[in-house]
Amino acid sequence: MSYSEDRLEEGEVESLEAVVASSLSVRWLNLDGLHDVSILREIGERFDLHRLLLEDVISVGQRPKFEEYDGRLFVVLHMLSVDDVEAQIREEQVSMVLSGGKLLTFQERTGDVFEPVRRRLREASGRIRARGADYLMYALIDAVVDGYFGVLERLGNAAERLDGEIADDPTPDTARRLHALKREALVARRSIWPVRELASGLLRSESELITADTRIYLRDVYDHAVQAIDAAETLRELTTSLMDLYLSTVGQRTNEVMRVLTVIASLFIPLTFLAGLYGMNFQYMPELAFRWAYPVLLGVMGVLAVGMLQYFKRKGWL
Amino acid sequence: MSYSEDRLEEGEVESLEAVVASSLSVRWLNLDGLHDVSILREIGERFDLHRLLLEDVISVGQRPKFEEYDGRLFVVLHMLSVDDVEAQIREEQVSMVLSGGKLLTFQERTGDVFEPVRRRLREASGRIRARGADYLMYALIDAVVDGYFGVLERLGNAAERLDGEIADDPTPDTARRLHALKREALVARRSIWPVRELASGLLRSESELITADTRIYLRDVYDHAVQAIDAAETLRELTTSLMDLYLSTVGQRTNEVMRVLTVIASLFIPLTFLAGLYGMNFQYMPELAFRWAYPVLLGVMGVLAVGMLQYFKRKGWL
Amino acid sequence: MSYSEDRLEEGEVESLEAVVASSLSVRWLNLDGLHDVSILREIGERFDLHRLLLEDVISVGQRPKFEEYDGRLFVVLHMLSVDDVEAQIREEQVSMVLSGGKLLTFQERTGDVFEPVRRRLREASGRIRARGADYLMYALIDAVVDGYFGVLERLGNAAERLDGEIADDPTPDTARRLHALKREALVARRSIWPVRELASGLLRSESELITADTRIYLRDVYDHAVQAIDAAETLRELTTSLMDLYLSTVGQRTNEVMRVLTVIASLFIPLTFLAGLYGMNFQYMPELAFRWAYPVLLGVMGVLAVGMLQYFKRKGWL
Amino acid sequence: MSYSEDRLEEGEVESLEAVVASSLSVRWLNLDGLHDVSILREIGERFDLHRLLLEDVISVGQRPKFEEYDGRLFVVLHMLSVDDVEAQIREEQVSMVLSGGKLLTFQERTGDVFEPVRRRLREASGRIRARGADYLMYALIDAVVDGYFGVLERLGNAAERLDGEIADDPTPDTARRLHALKREALVARRSIWPVRELASGLLRSESELITADTRIYLRDVYDHAVQAIDAAETLRELTTSLMDLYLSTVGQRTNEVMRVLTVIASLFIPLTFLAGLYGMNFQYMPELAFRWAYPVLLGVMGVLAVGMLQYFKRKGWL
Amino acid sequence: MSYSEDRLEEGEVESLEAVVASSLSVRWLNLDGLHDVSILREIGERFDLHRLLLEDVISVGQRPKFEEYDGRLFVVLHMLSVDDVEAQIREEQVSMVLSGGKLLTFQERTGDVFEPVRRRLREASGRIRARGADYLMYALIDAVVDGYFGVLERLGNAAERLDGEIADDPTPDTARRLHALKREALVARRSIWPVRELASGLLRSESELITADTRIYLRDVYDHAVQAIDAAETLRELTTSLMDLYLSTVGQRTNEVMRVLTVIASLFIPLTFLAGLYGMNFQYMPELAFRWAYPVLLGVMGVLAVGMLQYFKRKGWL
């Protein structure tokens, strides 16, 4: 799929030559999937890309970065998406190469974060058509960065749910999911952090490929990246605090269980001893023959029990 | 509502043209509520604002920042307020645009942090009337930053209350509120941190819109922002320390409960065993027929109990 | 009280004019208490101080800082003192204004940190009399910073005492005091941290008011500030480590209590069951009639108890 | 073993003179083992190396670094390998000296991280033969840095296994292994962190020994180093979070054990008391003679037990 | 004791004049003990040292630093030694003043870290004699920094021992020693951290007293300082991790103790109740007269016990 300034041509690319030959001022070539090395090699030759650049495009798991290769701008980013059920993050590497009027983008899988940008391209009215390939690159980066907020919001909601669970009924599974959430927050942070550097690199770059006009928009990307980092950091601190809350809740519950046990055991063990005492079979136990011994003992037991309960009440255990 | 240097005109704005046309040297236009996009668009056209700037004004949740757009200064801030009952922070985004003699401010809701500034404007005696729009902007930023201290103080008071609660009677609810307080502290920190950068940006800006005189005042804003950050950080560390205190208090209480249980159980369980022993119905148990068996056993039990108590006292459990 | 280079005049100031008129080369005006706004206003007018500067002097709770206001040097510091019984820190704001030959100092309360400086001034022999007002300012700042070490040492001693208490007999009160100590450490840190920046600001300042000679001494203040920060940070880490120690001690004690309970309960509960078994009143229980049943049962019980004790010994619980 | 541009000569080095005399443009001398000081001294003299440089080569445990010694580039690195069974890291120091066309490398032991580079050298087709000694150095550094990812991945897998173990059956051994893993992560971090500085030093170096072409490749090394640091930091945070998870799991299990104990003890201790009560041998206990006393008591006991169970169910302990 | 370039004169200094008058090119004056203020004052006058410098020399507890005083280089360092039994660190302040050809060193106590340097001086063959006083200073600083590694290694060994102790048998004393170790690590860190700054200050200093040749050696000191900092930080993280391990071990042990208690109590308490039931003395208890009641009850008890054990086995408590 490729597009141009005042006309829009879109479709599956038949041959690279057609793209190179196109007379339209802005051409966008998007490649989904990185399996077919031969295509990549062909693209590399057609567009005269550095070998290291192509390697970075192919080797998934790159750190997001911005680089200049002899007059070309090269950007690597991670698109994040989150799977709602398990709140597990899926990273997808996106690479972009900008060279005068041409923008190449490489995606790991067929994604749809770029769909809104495509729609804006199709609607002839938008500003996006009137501008160069650098603005298109900005729009795509912005789309990726905007995606981070959605992901962080979902993780935030998962944290919210776990918060409620801890309040209602914390189970070992809650701790497990909390740990998983923290791991996801770490993954997200690792993808988002370098974007700030990337954006500031683009901003400070003296390449002529980026117009002053687009630079203003890139400042916006930078701001959003910083904001996403803030949100990721807050999320991380929140999960740590939630783990503390979980531990304190479990500790408190153990305390509560212990209190019930202690109250009941402390109440009945002495009484049971007294009962056991008069259950002994000694022949000479004068009390056994007393007429009022039984009711007196019951009274003593009652006093003892009431005293204990009072003590526990004063301790605040009841 | 708008005001001018030596005369003061205030009121609901009828039409934007009147504002633009006003001959008074300083004009302040405050917009409450961001729902009506058409008004915003009109303002944008009248005052020739950049599209991205307007977008930042509308999209709530921006990171506080300072930017220059072709000769205009643009500031985004968060006003914080705290609701006393639940100690929950409410953020409100405020945007300001300064361009020669004109100050536009945009608020999310009808707030009243700016009220003191308005009052000072109305009192003709104040310095504020004698100065330019840049001083007005300073005064408004200062009002927002001053508001942070009130918010942090209330959170600090909430921490103080929780501290007392932990000392008196820590419940799971205490931990819950502590966690909520920490979350609020994180929210506050996220709003306050970027203000330092904002203030230093304003200070270092070479824009002619800010007079040397106002710059001295902006240094004050910077100092206040740093002070607010210090306070927010201290609050965060305090809540962490309080959580530790809570955990240690709960642990100590469990320990205390355990000690009571252990003392009582250890005291009576052996005695109960002895009583049970002489409650057995064997036909040949010579002790049962001894005349002094019962008092001797009672004596043994007493000695055992006293020994146990002594042991517990030495252990420091009583 | 004011002093001069080769003569020393000291005393309560009658009128500000006398001070301004004094022909002695160095004049020091110290104001205790900030309640009387009229005096402050008069001083402000006499010495031509900026309005913001006066505001900073009055509003207690400023962050320590160094600023230059049209040729005047302005320093805000916190004097710390600690109350021995509760190890609670008291902050007092000190502001200094240096302008050619004149030094104004403002204190919240009547303090005595400056007393040693005054004594050195009175003793004509010291170097301090031979030097300018900038050296006097250095001497006063140095006195304040030196005071930090005393405060940190006392907090360190309190930490030491708590350390001993945790070893001997940790109570919930220990944890409480530990938390209070940590809070004090945070307060101290907040006062001390900015002094480094302040000192480096003074060092880098290009003001002519500070002679090259005094600059060497200011480097010393900087070193001391850094040292105080190191000490404050170490104190903070120490209190955190002490809280961990406290928690571990309490956990260990709970463990110990549990072990005693478990040993005694596990020893006697099975024996009590056996005794209970032969206390049943079934008509057909052949063992009851056996001649050797009782001693055999006692033997079984003994073996059981010894086995249990062996098991516990192997587990290391005895 | 040495190699040259268009021809490849490989083999054990007989005498250093042969190496020095070789006319091939790139010579690589690799020394395995650092025991034989005399060889090192001879090399030092032949290649005119600084005494400190030789010392750094010999003294194992150096911090990774990059230095320039009169026109020579000196690099110290740690090769990491991990032993799969115990997940224990083994560090091996590698030093490289680059001087126009000659590359000396020193290894502690006979390692095989460089094998792939050797293979590429042997295959005449690769780019590596067509380039200078600086590219060879890059290739070797890259091989070392690439090795870090393998090590970190194995540690990550160990963390994953421990995660599963905590979920299934956490034993004290799990905590022990977790601590060991953390220690290994710290070791890895200590080796990896300085590589970033090293790479940026090489990049910024103005030495003529590094061609512009190779510099692009070194940027790649820098990126990989930063990525490895990210991974090491994430691993560290993960182990901390796992320890929290472990503690919470153990706490939860204690809670569960306590609940079972409390339910059973609270259920039967009061019933045992009642049974003990009617096992007493008082002569005047009217209930004993009642016809329906026994079934009524059994009913009371049943009601009590059911009530208790209901209470525990409501508490969520069952 | 003093020494010179090609001849070596060593001995107790009789009079300072002899030292000043010595014609040998390098003179080293080492002063052990700082009690005798008069000597210090005399040295100060002879060598024309700044008053602040002398004060820094005398006042023990200075932060390590590097300073230039009118053409003289002044270095303050801490020598660390560790006492093997208690793993307690002893700090000793060392000050050095370098001025053209003369090196003054001041030690708190009679130390022997400098002994190897003295030995190298005595052996005429070493390089050290052929070089200037700046090289001597480097050699002494290097000796001090090398000493750090020994200290850190001993602390590391202590950590290792505590690690083993936690595995075998953690006692409250283990936690106590762990805390003490952490305190020592903090002390060491406080002494070592500033040395990096000191070394980089020396490196960047433009003083002519340091020759280009010595500068290369100072780079080595810098590297060693950074390495020592790394080691100290790792040690600190290790002690924190060990404390976590200790807490988890104690928690696990409590859990284990609880499990034994729960298993035994849950097994026998219900059986004891049953025994108690048939120990009651009601006149109308039909079961008591049944012929098979006793063996049936024993069977029921056995089944109950087996069932319980099965349940505990399924729970993994056995």
PDB file of all heavy atoms in Angstrom, chain A residues 132-144:
ATOM      1  N   GLY A 132       4.303  16.415   3.831  1.00  0.00           N
ATOM      2  CA  GLY A 132       5.310  15.490   3.318  1.00  0.00           C
ATOM      3  C   GLY A 132       5.369  14.173   4.076  1.00  0.00           C
ATOM      4  O   GLY A 132       4.565  13.904   4.992  1.00  0.00           O
ATOM      5  N   ALA A 133       6.347  13.383   3.683  1.00  0.00           N
ATOM      6  CA  ALA A 133       6.521  12.074   4.286  1.00  0.00           C
ATOM      7  C   ALA A 133       6.933  12.183   5.752  1.00  0.00           C
ATOM      8  O   ALA A 133       6.674  11.283   6.557  1.00  0.00           O
ATOM      9  CB  ALA A 133       7.570  11.284   3.513  1.00  0.00           C
ATOM     10  N   ASP A 134       7.598  13.282   6.129  1.00  0.00           N
ATOM     11  CA  ASP A 134       8.000  13.440   7.521  1.00  0.00           C
ATOM     12  C   ASP A 134       6.770  13.563   8.418  1.00  0.00           C
ATOM     13  O   ASP A 134       6.728  13.041   9.523  1.00  0.00           O
ATOM     14  CB  ASP A 134       8.943  14.637   7.700  1.00  0.00           C
ATOM     15  CG  ASP A 134       8.321  15.926   7.194  1.00  0.00           C
ATOM     16  OD1 ASP A 134       7.428  15.856   6.330  1.00  0.00           O
ATOM     17  OD2 ASP A 134       8.727  16.994   7.662  1.00  0.00           O
ATOM     18  N   TYR A 135       5.737  14.268   7.917  1.00  0.00           N
ATOM     19  CA  TYR A 135       4.519  14.403   8.704  1.00  0.00           C
ATOM     20  C   TYR A 135       3.838  13.044   8.834  1.00  0.00           C
ATOM     21  O   TYR A 135       3.302  12.703   9.888  1.00  0.00           O
ATOM     22  CB  TYR A 135       3.574  15.405   8.049  1.00  0.00           C
ATOM     23  CG  TYR A 135       2.380  15.718   8.901  1.00  0.00           C
ATOM     24  CD1 TYR A 135       2.454  16.685   9.892  1.00  0.00           C
ATOM     25  CD2 TYR A 135       1.194  15.024   8.743  1.00  0.00           C
ATOM     26  CE1 TYR A 135       1.366  16.965  10.694  1.00  0.00           C
ATOM     27  CE2 TYR A 135       0.102  15.278   9.541  1.00  0.00           C
ATOM     28  CZ  TYR A 135       0.194  16.254  10.516  1.00  0.00           C
ATOM     29  OH  TYR A 135      -0.887  16.509  11.323  1.00  0.00           O
ATOM     30  N   LEU A 136       3.888  12.272   7.758  1.00  0.00           N
ATOM     31  CA  LEU A 136       3.312  10.927   7.811  1.00  0.00           C
ATOM     32  C   LEU A 136       4.023  10.091   8.885  1.00  0.00           C
ATOM     33  O   LEU A 136       3.377   9.405   9.691  1.00  0.00           O
ATOM     34  CB  LEU A 136       3.450  10.243   6.452  1.00  0.00           C
ATOM     35  CG  LEU A 136       2.957   8.797   6.403  1.00  0.00           C
ATOM     36  CD1 LEU A 136       1.477   8.713   6.711  1.00  0.00           C
ATOM     37  CD2 LEU A 136       3.242   8.175   5.044  1.00  0.00           C
ATOM     38  N   MET A 137       5.359  10.197   8.921  1.00  0.00           N
ATOM     39  CA  MET A 137       6.104   9.465   9.940  1.00  0.00           C
ATOM     40  C   MET A 137       5.684   9.916  11.334  1.00  0.00           C
ATOM     41  O   MET A 137       5.457   9.099  12.220  1.00  0.00           O
ATOM     42  CB  MET A 137       7.608   9.669   9.767  1.00  0.00           C
ATOM     43  CG  MET A 137       8.407   8.802  10.709  1.00  0.00           C
ATOM     44  SD  MET A 137      10.183   8.893  10.387  1.00  0.00           S
ATOM     45  CE  MET A 137      10.563  10.491  11.084  1.00  0.00           C
ATOM     46  N   TYR A 138       5.549  11.244  11.500  1.00  0.00           N
ATOM     47  CA  TYR A 138       5.089  11.751  12.795  1.00  0.00           C
ATOM     48  C   TYR A 138       3.752  11.130  13.157  1.00  0.00           C
ATOM     49  O   TYR A 138       3.534  10.683  14.293  1.00  0.00           O
ATOM     50  CB  TYR A 138       4.970  13.286  12.773  1.00  0.00           C
ATOM     51  CG  TYR A 138       3.853  13.793  13.634  1.00  0.00           C
ATOM     52  CD1 TYR A 138       3.965  13.774  15.028  1.00  0.00           C
ATOM     53  CD2 TYR A 138       2.651  14.225  13.078  1.00  0.00           C
ATOM     54  CE1 TYR A 138       2.920  14.206  15.827  1.00  0.00           C
ATOM     55  CE2 TYR A 138       1.599  14.650  13.862  1.00  0.00           C
ATOM     56  CZ  TYR A 138       1.733  14.634  15.244  1.00  0.00           C
ATOM     57  OH  TYR A 138       0.693  15.028  16.031  1.00  0.00           O
ATOM     58  N   ALA A 139       2.834  11.130  12.186  1.00  0.00           N
ATOM     59  CA  ALA A 139       1.480  10.635  12.446  1.00  0.00           C
ATOM     60  C   ALA A 139       1.527   9.178  12.890  1.00  0.00           C
ATOM     61  O   ALA A 139       0.804   8.759  13.798  1.00  0.00           O
ATOM     62  CB  ALA A 139       0.617  10.787  11.194  1.00  0.00           C
ATOM     63  N   LEU A 140       2.420   8.396  12.257  1.00  0.00           N
ATOM     64  CA  LEU A 140       2.503   6.979  12.620  1.00  0.00           C
ATOM     65  C   LEU A 140       3.114   6.800  14.009  1.00  0.00           C
ATOM     66  O   LEU A 140       2.621   6.006  14.820  1.00  0.00           O
ATOM     67  CB  LEU A 140       3.326   6.222  11.570  1.00  0.00           C
ATOM     68  CG  LEU A 140       2.700   6.173  10.165  1.00  0.00           C
ATOM     69  CD1 LEU A 140       3.651   5.494   9.190  1.00  0.00           C
ATOM     70  CD2 LEU A 140       1.365   5.448  10.199  1.00  0.00           C
ATOM     71  N   ILE A 141       4.195   7.546  14.289  1.00  0.00           N
ATOM     72  CA  ILE A 141       4.802   7.461  15.634  1.00  0.00           C
ATOM     73  C   ILE A 141       3.769   7.859  16.678  1.00  0.00           C
ATOM     74  O   ILE A 141       3.606   7.219  17.714  1.00  0.00           O
ATOM     75  CB  ILE A 141       6.049   8.357  15.737  1.00  0.00           C
ATOM     76  CG1 ILE A 141       7.148   7.859  14.775  1.00  0.00           C
ATOM     77  CG2 ILE A 141       6.580   8.387  17.157  1.00  0.00           C
ATOM     78  CD1 ILE A 141       8.387   8.743  14.760  1.00  0.00           C
ATOM     79  N   ASP A 142       3.049   8.949  16.389  1.00  0.00           N
ATOM     80  CA  ASP A 142       2.038   9.422  17.322  1.00  0.00           C
ATOM     81  C   ASP A 142       0.986   8.350  17.572  1.00  0.00           C
ATOM     82  O   ASP A 142       0.541   8.155  18.708  1.00  0.00           O
ATOM     83  CB  ASP A 142       1.382  10.680  16.740  1.00  0.00           C
ATOM     84  CG  ASP A 142       0.716  11.502  17.811  1.00  0.00           C
ATOM     85  OD1 ASP A 142       1.344  11.693  18.879  1.00  0.00           O
ATOM     86  OD2 ASP A 142      -0.434  11.931  17.615  1.00  0.00           O
ATOM     87  N   ALA A 143       0.615   7.649  16.522  1.00  0.00           N
ATOM     88  CA  ALA A 143      -0.387   6.593  16.671  1.00  0.00           C
ATOM     89  C   ALA A 143       0.135   5.501  17.611  1.00  0.00           C
ATOM     90  O   ALA A 143      -0.602   4.989  18.460  1.00  0.00           O
ATOM     91  CB  ALA A 143      -0.726   6.002  15.302  1.00  0.00           C
ATOM     92  N   VAL A 144       1.435   5.167  17.454  1.00  0.00           N
ATOM     93  CA  VAL A 144       2.017   4.142  18.326  1.00  0.00           C
ATOM     94  C   VAL A 144       2.035   4.621  19.774  1.00  0.00           C
ATOM     95  O   VAL A 144       1.619   3.901  20.691  1.00  0.00           O
ATOM     96  CB  VAL A 144       3.445   3.790  17.854  1.00  0.00           C
ATOM     97  CG1 VAL A 144       4.153   2.941  18.903  1.00  0.00           C
ATOM     98  CG2 VAL A 144       3.397   3.062  16.523  1.00  0.00           C
TER      99      VAL A 144
END
